[in-house]
């Protein structure tokens, strides 16, 4: 599975969502928890019982877009008065289980398609 562009935030674990949930929500088109209708403080998809949780438990690998992560790190650093490089390192260290940074999410999608995987996206 590849998380890129506006879905990149769902490649980060609950530690990151607890710290930066409001900013991550804004980056993901003002995402709110479908159950509570509030800005989440956990990754509602990767946390126990979430849609990605069962896939992660079965060993699915998650490719997390590094380009988008760098952009998010810059946004978070500006919003919190932090350092973009330090925030990037924090994000990179707190990916979902089986999460791996890839240079560009779209490149990972293209490479997967070359190996017979199909592209599907949430509408």
């Amino acid at each position: 599975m590849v998380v890129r562009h506006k879905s990149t935030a769902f490649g980060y674990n609950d530690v990151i969502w607890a710290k930066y949930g409001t900013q991550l929500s804004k980056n993901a088109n003002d995402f709110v928890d479908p159950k509570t209708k509030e800005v989440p403080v956990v990754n509602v998809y990767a946390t126990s019982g979430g849609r990605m949780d069962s896939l992660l438990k079965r060993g699915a690998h998650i490719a997390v877009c590094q380009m988008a992560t760098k952009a998010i790190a810059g946004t978070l650093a500006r919003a919190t008065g932090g350092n973009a490089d330090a925030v990037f390192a924090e994000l990179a260290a707190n990916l979902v289980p089986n999460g791996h940074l890839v240079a560009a999410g779209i490149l990972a999608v293209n490479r997967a398609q070359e190996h017979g995987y199909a592209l599907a996206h949430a509408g």
Side-chain angles (χ1 to χ4, degrees), residues 25-95:
S25 171
K26 288 178 186 175
N27 187 72
N29 291 334
D30 295 318
F31 177 79
V32 294
D33 183 329
K35 292 178 184 172
T36 67
K37 307 298 184 218
E38 300 288 330
V39 172
V41 293
V42 297
N43 182 336
V44 297
Y45 294 122
T47 299
S48 182
R51 292 178 180 178
M52 284 175 31
D53 180 49
S54 63
L55 295 173
L56 292 169
K57 287 179 179 171
R58 294 175 63 190
H61 288 263
I62 310 299
V64 181
C65 182
Q66 182 173 313
M67 287 179 60
T69 295
K70 285 186 182 251
I72 291 169
T75 300
L76 294 175
R78 285 187 297 280
T80 62
N83 174 283
D85 291 334
V87 174
F88 175 80
E90 181 182 17
L91 295 174
N94 285 284
L95 301 177

Side-chain angles (χ1 to χ4, degrees), residues 87-112:
V87 174
F88 175 80
E90 181 182 17
L91 295 174
N94 285 284
L95 301 177
V96 295
N98 294 333
H100 311 279
L101 284 176
V102 295
I106 192 62
L107 183 60
V109 169
N110 290 341
R111 294 292 182 254

